Amino acid sequence: MVTQITSGIKISVLTNFEDSFYRNYKLHFSFSYEITIENNSKDSVQLISRHWEILNSLENVEIVDGEGVIGQKPVIKPGEIYKYSSGCYLTSTFGAMRGYYNMINFTTAKNFKVIVPSFRLSTPFALN
C-alpha cells in the first residue's frame, strides 16, 4: 500500500493483478486498484475531478482526465472515509499510475489539488 497526505487529505492505494486476455490479437493485463480517501482536515471537501497518468513499460503515457470518480463527486466531511475501486489495462506486465484529484474546500470555497502517489501495477510473474 502507498499513502500520501496533501492538505489533510490522506490517499491510500492498494493494487491487484486480475488476469490477462487477448483483444485484437494483442495480450492485455488487467489490474484493479482500491483508493481510500480519508479527510483528516477540519473542513468538508468535495472531489470534483481526477487526472491520471498511466505508465506502461512498453508504450507512451496515457493521460485520463474526467469528472469525479466512478461517476460520483463525493462530499467527504472531516473524519470521514470514502473508498472506491476501479481498474485499468496495460499491454505490458508492469507499469504505474499517478495523478491528482481536484477538490473544493467548502469552508474557504477554494479549489486545491490532492496528490495520488505513484503506485505500481505488476503481474506476479514480472521481473522487478
PDB file of all heavy atoms in Angstrom, residues 31-46:
ATOM      1  N   PHE A  31      -5.601  -4.884 -14.225  1.00  0.00           N
ATOM      2  CA  PHE A  31      -5.259  -4.545 -12.845  1.00  0.00           C
ATOM      3  C   PHE A  31      -6.432  -3.830 -12.190  1.00  0.00           C
ATOM      4  O   PHE A  31      -7.146  -3.063 -12.839  1.00  0.00           O
ATOM      5  CB  PHE A  31      -4.036  -3.623 -12.797  1.00  0.00           C
ATOM      6  CG  PHE A  31      -2.805  -4.242 -13.370  1.00  0.00           C
ATOM      7  CD1 PHE A  31      -2.494  -4.106 -14.712  1.00  0.00           C
ATOM      8  CD2 PHE A  31      -1.955  -4.983 -12.564  1.00  0.00           C
ATOM      9  CE1 PHE A  31      -1.350  -4.683 -15.241  1.00  0.00           C
ATOM     10  CE2 PHE A  31      -0.811  -5.569 -13.085  1.00  0.00           C
ATOM     11  CZ  PHE A  31      -0.511  -5.422 -14.428  1.00  0.00           C
ATOM     12  N   SER A  32      -6.623  -4.081 -10.914  1.00  0.00           N
ATOM     13  CA  SER A  32      -7.602  -3.331 -10.139  1.00  0.00           C
ATOM     14  C   SER A  32      -6.853  -2.537  -9.075  1.00  0.00           C
ATOM     15  O   SER A  32      -5.734  -2.881  -8.704  1.00  0.00           O
ATOM     16  CB  SER A  32      -8.625  -4.267  -9.488  1.00  0.00           C
ATOM     17  OG  SER A  32      -8.003  -5.106  -8.541  1.00  0.00           O
ATOM     18  N   TYR A  33      -7.492  -1.483  -8.622  1.00  0.00           N
ATOM     19  CA  TYR A  33      -6.930  -0.716  -7.519  1.00  0.00           C
ATOM     20  C   TYR A  33      -8.067  -0.198  -6.646  1.00  0.00           C
ATOM     21  O   TYR A  33      -9.164   0.077  -7.132  1.00  0.00           O
ATOM     22  CB  TYR A  33      -6.029   0.424  -7.998  1.00  0.00           C
ATOM     23  CG  TYR A  33      -6.659   1.377  -8.979  1.00  0.00           C
ATOM     24  CD1 TYR A  33      -7.365   2.500  -8.546  1.00  0.00           C
ATOM     25  CD2 TYR A  33      -6.533   1.170 -10.344  1.00  0.00           C
ATOM     26  CE1 TYR A  33      -7.925   3.375  -9.443  1.00  0.00           C
ATOM     27  CE2 TYR A  33      -7.106   2.041 -11.252  1.00  0.00           C
ATOM     28  CZ  TYR A  33      -7.799   3.149 -10.805  1.00  0.00           C
ATOM     29  OH  TYR A  33      -8.361   4.012 -11.699  1.00  0.00           O
ATOM     30  N   GLU A  34      -7.791  -0.130  -5.349  1.00  0.00           N
ATOM     31  CA  GLU A  34      -8.747   0.423  -4.398  1.00  0.00           C
ATOM     32  C   GLU A  34      -8.128   1.658  -3.772  1.00  0.00           C
ATOM     33  O   GLU A  34      -6.998   1.609  -3.278  1.00  0.00           O
ATOM     34  CB  GLU A  34      -9.083  -0.585  -3.303  1.00  0.00           C
ATOM     35  CG  GLU A  34     -10.079  -0.021  -2.294  1.00  0.00           C
ATOM     36  CD  GLU A  34     -10.379  -0.985  -1.169  1.00  0.00           C
ATOM     37  OE1 GLU A  34      -9.525  -1.113  -0.254  1.00  0.00           O
ATOM     38  OE2 GLU A  34     -11.452  -1.602  -1.212  1.00  0.00           O
ATOM     39  N   ILE A  35      -8.868   2.752  -3.833  1.00  0.00           N
ATOM     40  CA  ILE A  35      -8.372   4.005  -3.278  1.00  0.00           C
ATOM     41  C   ILE A  35      -9.221   4.397  -2.073  1.00  0.00           C
ATOM     42  O   ILE A  35     -10.452   4.362  -2.135  1.00  0.00           O
ATOM     43  CB  ILE A  35      -8.364   5.120  -4.333  1.00  0.00           C
ATOM     44  CG1 ILE A  35      -7.406   4.718  -5.455  1.00  0.00           C
ATOM     45  CG2 ILE A  35      -8.019   6.468  -3.704  1.00  0.00           C
ATOM     46  CD1 ILE A  35      -7.006   5.773  -6.409  1.00  0.00           C
ATOM     47  N   THR A  36      -8.530   4.735  -0.997  1.00  0.00           N
ATOM     48  CA  THR A  36      -9.179   5.220   0.218  1.00  0.00           C
ATOM     49  C   THR A  36      -8.817   6.690   0.374  1.00  0.00           C
ATOM     50  O   THR A  36      -7.637   7.050   0.361  1.00  0.00           O
ATOM     51  CB  THR A  36      -8.705   4.430   1.452  1.00  0.00           C
ATOM     52  OG1 THR A  36      -9.003   3.042   1.249  1.00  0.00           O
ATOM     53  CG2 THR A  36      -9.385   4.923   2.711  1.00  0.00           C
ATOM     54  N   ILE A  37      -9.845   7.524   0.495  1.00  0.00           N
ATOM     55  CA  ILE A  37      -9.658   8.962   0.707  1.00  0.00           C
ATOM     56  C   ILE A  37     -10.161   9.272   2.110  1.00  0.00           C
ATOM     57  O   ILE A  37     -11.335   9.071   2.414  1.00  0.00           O
ATOM     58  CB  ILE A  37     -10.442   9.785  -0.338  1.00  0.00           C
ATOM     59  CG1 ILE A  37     -10.030   9.371  -1.757  1.00  0.00           C
ATOM     60  CG2 ILE A  37     -10.229  11.285  -0.107  1.00  0.00           C
ATOM     61  CD1 ILE A  37     -10.916   9.943  -2.847  1.00  0.00           C
ATOM     62  N   GLU A  38      -9.250   9.727   2.957  1.00  0.00           N
ATOM     63  CA  GLU A  38      -9.584   9.996   4.352  1.00  0.00           C
ATOM     64  C   GLU A  38      -9.413  11.490   4.626  1.00  0.00           C
ATOM     65  O   GLU A  38      -8.336  12.045   4.411  1.00  0.00           O
ATOM     66  CB  GLU A  38      -8.668   9.187   5.261  1.00  0.00           C
ATOM     67  CG  GLU A  38      -8.986   9.278   6.713  1.00  0.00           C
ATOM     68  CD  GLU A  38      -8.120   8.345   7.557  1.00  0.00           C
ATOM     69  OE1 GLU A  38      -7.468   7.438   6.997  1.00  0.00           O
ATOM     70  OE2 GLU A  38      -8.095   8.544   8.776  1.00  0.00           O
ATOM     71  N   ASN A  39     -10.485  12.123   5.072  1.00  0.00           N
ATOM     72  CA  ASN A  39     -10.435  13.553   5.346  1.00  0.00           C
ATOM     73  C   ASN A  39      -9.993  13.786   6.794  1.00  0.00           C
ATOM     74  O   ASN A  39     -10.781  13.675   7.719  1.00  0.00           O
ATOM     75  CB  ASN A  39     -11.805  14.199   5.093  1.00  0.00           C
ATOM     76  CG  ASN A  39     -11.762  15.706   5.242  1.00  0.00           C
ATOM     77  OD1 ASN A  39     -10.764  16.271   5.685  1.00  0.00           O
ATOM     78  ND2 ASN A  39     -12.848  16.363   4.878  1.00  0.00           N
ATOM     79  N   ASN A  40      -8.720  14.110   6.966  1.00  0.00           N
ATOM     80  CA  ASN A  40      -8.165  14.416   8.283  1.00  0.00           C
ATOM     81  C   ASN A  40      -8.104  15.918   8.540  1.00  0.00           C
ATOM     82  O   ASN A  40      -7.476  16.344   9.502  1.00  0.00           O
ATOM     83  CB  ASN A  40      -6.765  13.803   8.422  1.00  0.00           C
ATOM     84  CG  ASN A  40      -6.812  12.291   8.420  1.00  0.00           C
ATOM     85  OD1 ASN A  40      -7.725  11.697   8.964  1.00  0.00           O
ATOM     86  ND2 ASN A  40      -5.832  11.657   7.791  1.00  0.00           N
ATOM     87  N   SER A  41      -8.738  16.693   7.669  1.00  0.00           N
ATOM     88  CA  SER A  41      -8.755  18.143   7.866  1.00  0.00           C
ATOM     89  C   SER A  41      -9.972  18.521   8.714  1.00  0.00           C
ATOM     90  O   SER A  41     -10.785  17.672   9.067  1.00  0.00           O
ATOM     91  CB  SER A  41      -8.808  18.859   6.509  1.00  0.00           C
ATOM     92  OG  SER A  41     -10.124  18.808   5.960  1.00  0.00           O
ATOM     93  N   LYS A  42     -10.124  19.808   8.992  1.00  0.00           N
ATOM     94  CA  LYS A  42     -11.264  20.283   9.777  1.00  0.00           C
ATOM     95  C   LYS A  42     -12.411  20.776   8.889  1.00  0.00           C
ATOM     96  O   LYS A  42     -13.446  21.217   9.390  1.00  0.00           O
ATOM     97  CB  LYS A  42     -10.825  21.386  10.739  1.00  0.00           C
ATOM     98  CG  LYS A  42     -10.230  22.604  10.068  1.00  0.00           C
ATOM     99  CD  LYS A  42      -9.815  23.643  11.097  1.00  0.00           C
ATOM    100  CE  LYS A  42      -9.096  24.824  10.529  1.00  0.00           C
ATOM    101  NZ  LYS A  42      -9.498  25.333   9.273  1.00  0.00           N
ATOM    102  N   ASP A  43     -12.237  20.663   7.566  1.00  0.00           N
ATOM    103  CA  ASP A  43     -13.223  21.185   6.624  1.00  0.00           C
ATOM    104  C   ASP A  43     -13.822  20.077   5.757  1.00  0.00           C
ATOM    105  O   ASP A  43     -13.141  19.106   5.416  1.00  0.00           O
ATOM    106  CB  ASP A  43     -12.572  22.227   5.700  1.00  0.00           C
ATOM    107  CG  ASP A  43     -11.942  23.370   6.468  1.00  0.00           C
ATOM    108  OD1 ASP A  43     -12.572  23.848   7.427  1.00  0.00           O
ATOM    109  OD2 ASP A  43     -10.813  23.773   6.106  1.00  0.00           O
ATOM    110  N   SER A  44     -15.077  20.249   5.363  1.00  0.00           N
ATOM    111  CA  SER A  44     -15.691  19.351   4.387  1.00  0.00           C
ATOM    112  C   SER A  44     -15.132  19.675   3.012  1.00  0.00           C
ATOM    113  O   SER A  44     -14.908  20.850   2.672  1.00  0.00           O
ATOM    114  CB  SER A  44     -17.208  19.521   4.379  1.00  0.00           C
ATOM    115  OG  SER A  44     -17.764  19.070   5.589  1.00  0.00           O
ATOM    116  N   VAL A  45     -14.912  18.631   2.223  1.00  0.00           N
ATOM    117  CA  VAL A  45     -14.359  18.798   0.878  1.00  0.00           C
ATOM    118  C   VAL A  45     -15.192  17.980  -0.111  1.00  0.00           C
ATOM    119  O   VAL A  45     -15.895  17.051   0.280  1.00  0.00           O
ATOM    120  CB  VAL A  45     -12.873  18.361   0.806  1.00  0.00           C
ATOM    121  CG1 VAL A  45     -12.010  19.196   1.741  1.00  0.00           C
ATOM    122  CG2 VAL A  45     -12.718  16.888   1.111  1.00  0.00           C
ATOM    123  N   GLN A  46     -15.077  18.349  -1.377  1.00  0.00           N
ATOM    124  CA  GLN A  46     -15.724  17.575  -2.429  1.00  0.00           C
ATOM    125  C   GLN A  46     -14.723  17.299  -3.529  1.00  0.00           C
ATOM    126  O   GLN A  46     -13.996  18.201  -3.962  1.00  0.00           O
ATOM    127  CB  GLN A  46     -16.932  18.308  -3.008  1.00  0.00           C
ATOM    128  CG  GLN A  46     -17.665  17.482  -4.062  1.00  0.00           C
ATOM    129  CD  GLN A  46     -18.934  18.130  -4.561  1.00  0.00           C
ATOM    130  OE1 GLN A  46     -19.105  19.347  -4.481  1.00  0.00           O
ATOM    131  NE2 GLN A  46     -19.835  17.327  -5.086  1.00  0.00           N
TER     132      GLN A  46
END
